[in-house]
Amino acid sequence: MNWGILLILALIATVVAALAMLGQRKSPGSRGSEPGKGVHVLESDYQSGVGGGHVTRWTVPRDPQEYAKHFVPKDERHD
């Protein structure tokens, strides 16, 4: 294969990857959820083949300050 063609293909791939990254940065609101009252219900589902697996559900507060309190060690909390 000609080195010039290979270089052009590599350049095109680089430009496409850069445009994809820029597209993700322009839409910061597409991730996460709005804060508020109540809780989010999260689910983790793990399947390890035939008949094996584990499903876990837990709740986290929608309020960012309440959510952050879950990461403070219990002996350091000032509730």
Side-chain angles (χ1 to χ4, degrees):
M1 184 179 244
N2 188 348
W3 286 105
I5 294 172
L6 190 60
L7 182 62
I8 290 172
L9 289 174
L11 182 62
I12 290 171
T14 303
V15 169
V16 168
L19 289 175
M21 288 174 63
L22 285 175
Q24 288 179 346
R25 289 183 185 168
K26 287 183 181 179
S27 59
S30 64
R31 294 184 57 186
S33 58
E34 291 294 321
K37 296 188 184 294
V39 296
H40 292 289
V41 178
L42 305 175
E43 183 175 298
S44 174
D45 186 0
Y46 170 72
Q47 300 299 322
S48 63
V50 179
H54 183 72
V55 177
T56 302
R57 288 189 185 100
W58 64 95
T59 60
V60 293
R62 290 179 61 102
D63 178 31
Q65 295 300 319
E66 287 297 318
Y67 179 75
K69 288 179 184 178
H70 287 274
F71 299 98
V72 177
K74 289 183 181 182
D75 57 341
E76 296 290 328
R77 291 184 186 171
H78 304 285
D79 295 332

